[in-house]
Amino acid sequence: MRLLIVEDDPVLSDGLRVGLGLSGFTADAVGTLADARAALRDSDFAGVVLDVMLPDGLGTTLLAEMRAAGQTLPVLLLTARDRVRDRVEGLDAGADDHLGKPFDLDELAARLRAMLRRHQGRARPLLHWNGVDLDPAALTATRDGAALRLSRREFAILHALIDQPGHILSRAQLEERLYGWQEDVESNTVEVHVHHLRAKLGRDVIQTVRGVGYRVAGAA
């Protein structure tokens, strides 16, 4: 799950990027509204963590622009101003959730998972597909009750595919799940991880659609 973090404090921003990465998210970070607008134009994200007070304006201004343009991308607001009025104004402006500073990173990760589930119309915290169960919170997977030993990136690819069974995801889309802007993308990384997943799950589990991408078949 790829997130955009909009936070101007470099220490907090880097801590969020690294910490959320340990919780299974791929996070890119920017520090201004201008950079956030450019990132949202150029890349696809599953959600946004948006600070309210930024050097070039208010995060709620960007939020209002997104909602006015019909963008339904889930947004969680971060703010040092945690009065009831501030929370109400942020939620009424179109935020999906609100968290005051200082906050616990585990709580932020849990709120993000819940926010993304709601956006997908999925109430259950676990993903189920043909005997495979994924727990995005614990980053664990089982097949027919037996534990699967998956690397973080193998888990991310399997999560992306099972989240949309029957839907083809391109190599570029899967790379976006694995890497942020600050990381170099290895040329064959998706193919290598798919190969490892097939060795653990069976060759027919992940289908290759030549020239297009990868998918898992059928309904979950």
Side-chain angles (χ1 to χ4, degrees):
M1 291 177 284
R2 191 178 184 196
L3 300 174
L4 176 65
I5 299 168
V6 188
E7 167 60 59
D8 64 310
D9 182 331
V11 175
L12 178 56
S13 177
D14 191 55
L16 286 172
R17 186 176 58 80
V18 174
L20 290 174
L22 295 175
S23 294
F25 296 95
T26 298
D28 294 313
V30 297
T32 66
L33 292 178
D35 287 343
R37 291 185 182 103
L40 290 169
R41 282 196 307 268
D42 297 339
S43 300
D44 292 326
F45 297 95
V48 180
V49 178
L50 178 61
D51 189 17
V52 171
M53 303 297 293
L54 294 163
D56 52 346
L58 296 175
T60 49
T61 300
L62 174 62
L63 177 59
E65 293 171 2
M66 294 170 61
R67 298 306 184 233
Q71 295 183 6
T72 61
L73 190 66
V75 175
L76 184 148
L77 287 180
L78 292 179
T79 178
R81 301 185 304 181
D82 196 30
R83 300 172 303 177
V84 171
R85 179 179 177 183
D86 296 322
R87 295 197 296 270
V88 170
E89 288 178 352
L91 293 169
D92 282 345
D96 298 88
D97 203 352
H98 187 289
L99 193 58
K101 299 177 182 178
F103 54 84
D104 183 87
L105 189 59
D106 288 338
E107 180 183 0
L108 173 61
R111 285 177 176 268
L112 288 169
R113 287 190 294 267
M115 183 178 77
L116 297 176
R117 286 199 305 270
R118 291 194 300 269
H119 182 68
Q120 296 167 350
R122 181 168 54 85
R124 301 177 68 180
L126 303 183
L127 288 174
H128 304 274
W129 179 86
N130 289 355
V132 177
D133 294 336
L134 295 187
D135 184 342
L139 297 180
T140 58
T142 62
R143 186 177 192 188
D144 298 326
L148 292 169
R149 297 178 61 86
L150 303 179
S151 71
R152 183 178 68 84
R153 286 178 171 162
E154 290 168 4
F155 185 94
I157 288 178
L158 187 60
H159 185 185
L161 294 171
I162 288 180
D163 203 27
Q164 302 181 72
H167 184 78
I168 301 171
L169 294 181
S170 69
R171 173 178 164 180
Q173 287 174 310
L174 291 173
E175 285 174 345
E176 285 200 340
R177 293 289 192 112
L178 303 179
Y179 295 98
W181 290 335
Q182 292 88 355
E183 298 179 278
D184 294 327
V185 179
E186 299 174 25
S187 61
N188 65 338
T189 186
V190 170
E191 290 84 352
V192 169
H193 292 312
V194 168
H195 174 76
H196 290 163
L197 284 169
R198 285 172 170 159
K200 297 173 182 180
L201 296 169
R203 294 198 56 81
D204 296 333
V205 170
I206 299 176
Q207 301 175 349
T208 299
V209 181
R210 294 193 179 279
V212 184
Y214 300 93
R215 69 183 174 195
V216 294

